[in-house]
Amino acid sequence: MNATIALYLAQDGIINGAIYALLGVTLVLVFAVTRVIFVPQGEFVAWGALTLAALDAGSVPGTAWLLVVMGIAATVLDTLRQSKTITLHAIGGMVVKDIALPVLLLLAVQAIAPGKPALWISVLLTLALIIPMGPLVYRLAFQPLADATVLTLFIAAIGVHFALIGLGLVFFGAEGFRTTPFIAETFRVGVLAIKGQSLAVLGVTAMLLAGLYLFFERTMLGKALRATAVNRLGARLVGIPVRSTGRIAFALAAAIGALSGMLIGSLTTIYYDSGFLIGLKGFVAAIAAGLASYPLTVMAALGVGLLEAFSAFFASAFKEVIVFSIIIPLLIWRSLKAPHSDEEEE
Amino acid sequence: MNLPMLDIDRLSVSYGKVEAVREVSLRMQPGTIVTVIGANGAGKTTLLNAIMGVLPAPGAARFEGRDVSGDEVEARVGAGLCLVPEKRELFTTMSVEDNLRLGAYRLGSGAISEGLETVFARFPRLKERRAQLAGTLSGGERQMLAMGRALMGKPRLLMLDEPSLGLAPRIVKDIFHIIMELRASGVSILLVEQNARAALQVADYAYVMEIGSITMEGRAEDLAADPRVIESYLGLGGHT
């Protein structure tokens, strides 16, 4: 290995690490607010990339249909669950928000997609399709279990993961896709060729992380989410609607997932099940940070990205093995360092 | 008799097969302090949690004439009920000021600055410590913060669960002083205490709770003079 190769590997590692950082931070966020270890996070990554790829190709992505179906399911289930207390007004609200809007979006996509829309329109459409799925997944799968243990929620999360993978296969097929890069140019810095898309990844990641920081430190809504994470009962007692904070956390997860997918969609081929491995590496970073610290998660994610890039060079067949194996010493180190505490403190 | 502030009718709470609160009925008039005294484990905390909606409980609960028994915690907070729990349940990794601001979460930003002023006037200590993390406060300060956070939401009925627990006698005195000031400012207070002597001194009306049921009730000064209460709760060597 020489310096040039090392530089290339480092560049690769940092780009991937940035994506893992986004996903890791999301996992920490979702876990803190809802106590759900959000295994299906990766599916939003894959769906973001595949939806963008479909729009690129001028076809209507399956996610447009799926959103309508999920909206109908959530409306029906919520109505049945609260059949005694629900008001007609509330049902009307759900019909408008969860069924009518997705149908309108579907019609819009059907009208726009065949004309191969400009990239930024496709990106916005993809976000509009994927973001609402976050809260819908929360309502369908996790809200009824909101008071369950972390383990139960984890099992539900694995179930949701398999369900979403299956849906991904139905809607996008087994074929892999690539998307158009946001920035197609390549820049030369000394010996290094830097893809424009890599800069896009870093720029968007930095902006998102800064945005999240401001959201949690400066806005009341962000503080309410933190408060829910710190003390759920305390949050309920001051009237913070913990259900909607859960939905907001899932909406953020879907948004960040979809954006990550669209960012890496041009750097690597994405299949319907590619999200899982990507998400899992974000998970390694989140675990390294104890599912608690955002800055540590970002640093650990960069570490994971670099480790992956260099092990791909030295032992490419074992690249995944190496990345996932470091979780074992990390867990041992954490369990020795952390004072023992019961899983459920409430 | 005007409409009671709070009207609890045969409320029960069970943990599995164990009935922690059995058909408790309780009424309180607006602008009064009502206390529920009783030994550790009598079910006082469970009763407050059930009134707040934290625990599911069959039985009727009317707040200012409105049936709230089917309501979620958030809706009861919205109606003007507020619980300061025994464990305070503060947002420990956030600043004192953020804790207070979140207390007025549902009221919006207008109420926040106004509420902060009122709370800081009542608890000058919190103003000194406004930038400090809630988790670094002393026991007395935590209780003040918990009460301050509750007051930020402008409750009409404040439920205090063992506000004197674990506090130094001088601070206990302060806390009870503040409780009386709050009544004077128009907040009704439902006070649960093991410190029966102090509670009966500030309260207008009192209930005695034993193993899940109300066994005695009456005007606070009458109960304070009742020989059975004196023997069980106020006697020598009792809590002070």
Side-chain angles (χ1 to χ4, degrees):
Chain A
M1 153 183 279
N2 57 33
T4 317
I5 293 177
L7 272 179
Y8 269 105
L9 291 177
Q11 185 195 344
D12 254 17
I14 289 171
I15 301 310
N16 287 338
I19 296 291
Y20 301 152
L22 283 180
L23 300 178
V25 163
T26 316
L27 280 166
V28 174
L29 163 73
V30 169
F31 179 72
V33 176
T34 64
R35 298 178 307 125
V36 174
I37 295 173
F38 195 43
V39 188
Q41 169 69 18
E43 270 64 72
F44 289 131
V45 178
W47 291 8
L50 294 172
T51 302
L52 184 63
L55 289 170
D56 258 359
S59 55
V60 175
T63 34
W65 291 99
L66 181 59
L67 185 62
V68 176
V69 174
M70 286 171 85
I72 293 173
T75 304
V76 171
L77 278 180
D78 277 3
T79 307
L80 289 181
R81 263 177 214 143
Q82 310 165 27
S83 56
K84 282 187 193 127
T85 52
I86 200 164
T87 58
L88 223 56
H89 184 73
I91 299 178
M94 284 197 289
V95 169
V96 170
K97 196 167 65 69
D98 299 329
I99 301 177
L101 279 182
V103 168
L104 280 179
L105 200 56
L106 173 65
L107 294 176
V109 169
Q110 280 176 331
I112 297 171
K116 299 207 176 179
L119 182 63
W120 66 273
I121 296 179
S122 301
V123 169
L124 288 183
L125 277 179
T126 305
L127 287 175
L129 287 173
I130 306 290
I131 293 175
M133 288 186 182
L136 284 171
V137 164
Y138 179 67
R139 274 166 64 190
L140 287 169
F142 299 107
Q143 193 171 293
L145 303 170
D147 296 318
T149 62
V150 171
L151 183 63
T152 311
L153 290 168
F154 180 54
I155 293 167
I158 293 174
V160 171
H161 159 68
F162 282 119
L164 296 189
I165 284 273
L167 287 170
L169 181 58
V170 170
F171 283 116
F172 297 106
E175 214 179 320
F177 293 93
R178 280 200 181 219
T179 59
T180 325
F182 292 4
I183 304 173
E185 293 87 355
T186 302
F187 307 94
R188 286 217 147 263
V189 182
V191 289
L192 208 58
I194 299 175
K195 279 187 192 164
Q197 185 70 6
S198 306
L199 296 179
V201 170
L202 288 183
V204 172
T205 303
M207 272 183 346
L208 276 180
L209 291 177
L212 282 175
Y213 174 81
L214 288 177
F215 174 66
F216 284 116
E217 289 295 324
R218 295 275 182 273
T219 69
M220 258 331 248
L221 186 59
K223 285 178 184 176
L225 254 76
R226 275 169 67 203
T228 312
V230 178
N231 192 323
R232 203 180 166 79
L233 177 58
R236 294 181 75 193
L237 289 177
V238 296
I240 294 172
V242 292
R243 254 191 220 150
S244 39
T245 52
R247 288 180 192 179
I248 293 164
F250 271 71
L252 279 172
I256 293 176
L259 261 178
S260 312
M262 292 190 280
L263 284 170
I264 53 166
S266 73
L267 297 172
T268 173
T269 307
I270 298 285
Y271 298 84
Y272 72 99
D273 61 352
S274 300
F276 181 58
L277 267 187
I278 300 169
L280 215 52
K281 285 168 194 160
F283 184 65
V284 171
I287 287 289
L291 271 180
S293 159
Y294 296 101
L296 264 184
T297 305
V298 173
M299 285 175 1
L302 290 175
V304 169
L306 288 171
L307 179 70
E308 187 191 18
F310 282 91
S311 40
F313 178 79
F314 288 113
S316 65
F318 290 101
K319 142 183 126 152
E320 314 287 8
V321 178
I322 294 172
V323 169
F324 291 119
S325 300
I326 59 164
I327 209 168
I328 294 171
L330 276 174
L331 285 176
I332 293 173
W333 169 66
R334 283 220 81 91
S335 69
L336 290 176
K337 202 178 125 256
H340 179 80
S341 65
D342 287 325
E343 182 193 55
E344 299 290 284
E345 287 189 1
E346 283 162 54
Chain B
M1 202 184 210
N2 41 6
L3 194 68
M5 179 106 213
L6 180 70
D7 188 351
I8 302 295
D9 190 25
R10 279 169 293 157
L11 190 84
S12 302
V13 187
S14 343
Y15 296 107
K17 281 186 181 166
V18 185
E19 223 172 18
V21 168
R22 201 173 322 113
E23 301 207 334
V24 164
S25 297
L26 181 151
R27 260 175 176 229
M28 62 184 289
Q29 297 302 320
T32 59
I33 300 182
V34 172
T35 183
V36 179
I37 58 174
N40 211 351
K44 308 186 297 294
T45 295
T46 306
L47 174 66
L48 286 196
N49 281 331
I51 295 175
M52 197 62 223
V54 177
L55 294 172
R62 300 180 82 77
F63 178 64
E64 297 187 318
R66 198 169 75 88
D67 184 10
V68 293
S69 36
D71 287 1
E72 305 258 350
V73 179
E74 292 84 25
R76 297 189 202 208
V77 174
L81 266 164
C82 192
L83 169 67
V84 178
E86 189 179 344
K87 291 181 184 156
R88 326 299 195 221
E89 310 291 356
L90 298 172
F91 308 125
T92 46
T93 55
M94 303 174 79
S95 72
V96 167
E97 185 171 334
D98 277 348
N99 269 270
L100 292 173
R101 284 172 177 275
L102 285 164
Y105 179 75
R106 66 191 174 80
L107 298 178
S109 51
I112 292 179
S113 45
E114 187 197 321
L116 272 180
E117 229 166 83
T118 324
V119 169
F120 283 151
R122 202 177 291 285
F123 304 101
R125 200 54 179 273
L126 294 181
K127 191 172 186 177
E128 290 165 28
R129 308 230 182 260
R130 64 198 292 176
Q132 216 170 301
L133 293 187
T136 64
L137 297 180
S138 71
E141 289 163 349
R142 282 176 190 229
Q143 179 57 36
M144 288 177 198
L145 179 54
M147 286 173 74
R149 186 180 72 179
L151 290 174
M152 288 292 292
K154 296 199 166 62
R156 281 197 296 285
L157 171 60
L158 188 61
M159 297 193 279
L160 301 173
D161 194 355
E162 305 278 6
S164 74
L165 192 76
L167 301 185
R170 197 174 52 81
I171 298 171
V172 172
K173 225 176 120 194
D174 288 351
I175 296 278
F176 277 99
H177 185 69
I178 289 164
I179 291 172
M180 288 202 287
E181 278 179 8
L182 286 177
R183 172 180 53 186
S185 72
V187 183
S188 315
I189 290 164
L190 179 56
L191 174 66
V192 154
E193 263 292 345
Q194 280 189 62
N195 187 339
R197 190 183 302 275
L200 289 175
Q201 257 170 29
V202 297
D204 302 292
Y205 200 82
Y207 292 85
V208 177
M209 204 166 170
E210 275 167 25
I211 38 177
S213 305
I214 300 285
T215 51
M216 265 193 268
E217 65 175 285
R219 296 193 330 161
E221 60 249 54
D222 295 346
L223 279 193
D226 189 296
R228 289 168 296 173
V229 175
I230 292 173
E231 191 186 337
S232 308
Y233 302 103
L234 304 176
L236 292 174
H239 313 274
T240 50

